[in-house]
Amino acid sequence: MSWSRQRRLDTARAILASLWAEQRAAVADPCPFKALFTTRRAGKTWTPLTDFAADGLIHPRSMYCHVALTHNNSEIIAWPILKDLDRRFGLGGRFQEQKLRYTLPTGSTIQLYGGDRPGWSQRLYGTKLKGAAVDEAGFYSVDINDLVTDVLNPALLMPYGKRGTLYLMSIPGKMPSGLFYELTNQFPWDETYAARVPKPTSLCPTAGRWSVHSWTTEANPYMSEQFVQEMDEWRAADPDCEKDTRFLR
């Protein structure tokens, strides 16, 4: 049985309401290019997948994709999030385990990819995407700028002047290079902020079209207490931990 428009709208609102304030701010940001700059376990993967699930209810037969560092990351991190959203909100979607493709009752699909699988990006050529997300964007061996410019941006150009949404999410990378680094290195890594616009650089002349959002795991109501305790224990064991890049990430 098909869903009524009102049911789709009400369920989409409920899905978005399940996010906490920092995540909701990122989703509500009208900028089509968003960089989420967080610590570990801060809910950055949940943010675009929740957005895509809600948006896919409002816009039937839309296509979305999420790219993880590896196929295994897609299976153990992103795939369970989609199953949890489906269960919690009674969506009754269809899960194709072999393809890692989730289909909402409106016919909209969320496709998961692993960045370690040969030829995965070529599958996106010629597609029309309502939304795309690249997880751990600070750690890819391929040029993320090329992926965004040559593959994802054209796929997100929609008819009638509309544009789909692109998310790049990551903790700080190990190497000071790449698109995600160029977008986020201008801002403090450990502060909460939303909708900061980076200045263009010689390596990233289009940085001004991005919006950077940042928060730490302390904002995650499910992890906040553990996060603060872990940081306190680390500082007690190593007074110089603030100089350790592993601690900072």
Side-chain angles (χ1 to χ4, degrees):
M1 180 182 297
S2 61
W3 286 30
S4 68
R5 176 172 172 78
Q6 190 59 52
R7 182 184 177 188
R8 290 190 284 115
L9 290 174
D10 289 345
T11 305
R13 293 190 187 103
I15 291 173
L16 294 177
S18 69
L19 297 172
W20 53 84
E22 290 77 10
Q23 294 173 309
R24 288 197 301 271
V27 171
D29 187 346
C31 181
F33 299 96
K34 308 178 190 185
L36 309 186
F37 188 34
T38 75
T39 51
R40 296 184 188 277
R41 306 300 298 276
K44 62 183 181 300
T45 305
W46 274 90
T47 304
L49 290 176
T50 302
D51 183 13
F52 297 164
D55 195 69
L57 286 177
I58 298 172
H59 300 96
R61 296 174 297 282
S62 296
M63 295 176 61
Y64 308 84
C65 78
H66 174 277
V67 183
L69 265 179
T70 69
H71 184 81
N72 187 58
N73 288 148
S74 289
E75 285 187 307
I76 67 174
I77 299 174
W79 197 234
I81 290 175
L82 292 177
K83 289 189 174 182
D84 186 76
L85 288 170
D86 185 270
R87 176 186 56 79
R88 288 168 61 191
F89 296 98
L91 302 180
R94 182 163 63 100
F95 290 91
Q96 293 173 268
E97 299 284 346
Q98 294 285 63
K99 296 182 177 181
L100 290 185
R101 180 184 299 155
Y102 171 59
T103 303
L104 287 154
T106 56
S108 295
T109 61
I110 302 175
Q111 177 70 55
L112 305 186
Y113 293 99
D116 61 337
R117 290 292 177 94
W120 68 267
S121 61
Q122 281 77 13
R123 300 177 191 174
L124 294 171
Y125 278 108
T127 59
K128 294 180 181 179
L129 296 172
K130 189 73 167 52
V134 181
D135 218 341
E136 301 302 357
F139 292 86
Y140 282 75
S141 57
V142 300
D143 190 335
I144 294 296
N145 207 355
D146 282 348
L147 173 65
V148 169
T149 303
D150 296 339
V151 181
L152 295 179
N153 188 43
L156 290 162
L157 294 175
M158 306 296 287
Y160 313 113
K162 297 180 180 179
R163 180 189 288 275
T165 302
L166 174 59
Y167 288 90
L168 298 184
M169 310 91 73
S170 188
I171 65 172
K174 293 183 178 180
M175 300 297 292
S177 62
L179 176 59
F180 192 80
Y181 174 78
E182 293 295 323
L183 295 174
T184 58
N185 80 91
Q186 303 174 31
F187 307 123
W189 69 272
D190 59 348
E191 295 181 7
T192 297
Y193 49 84
R196 290 196 179 185
V197 179
K199 296 179 181 179
T201 68
S202 59
L203 296 177
C204 187
T206 60
R209 68 181 180 178
W210 288 83
S211 181
V212 180
H213 293 250
S214 183
W215 65 89
T216 72
T217 311
E218 194 167 359
N220 182 342
Y222 305 102
M223 294 296 300
S224 178
E225 185 175 344
Q226 296 179 57
F227 177 74
V228 172
Q229 181 179 347
E230 175 69 14
M231 296 302 98
D232 289 344
E233 291 177 355
W234 202 328
R235 290 186 176 98
D238 180 10
D240 292 326
C241 66
E242 299 285 352
K243 301 176 184 178
D244 189 331
T245 57
R246 293 169 299 180
F247 174 84
L248 297 179
R249 283 198 299 275

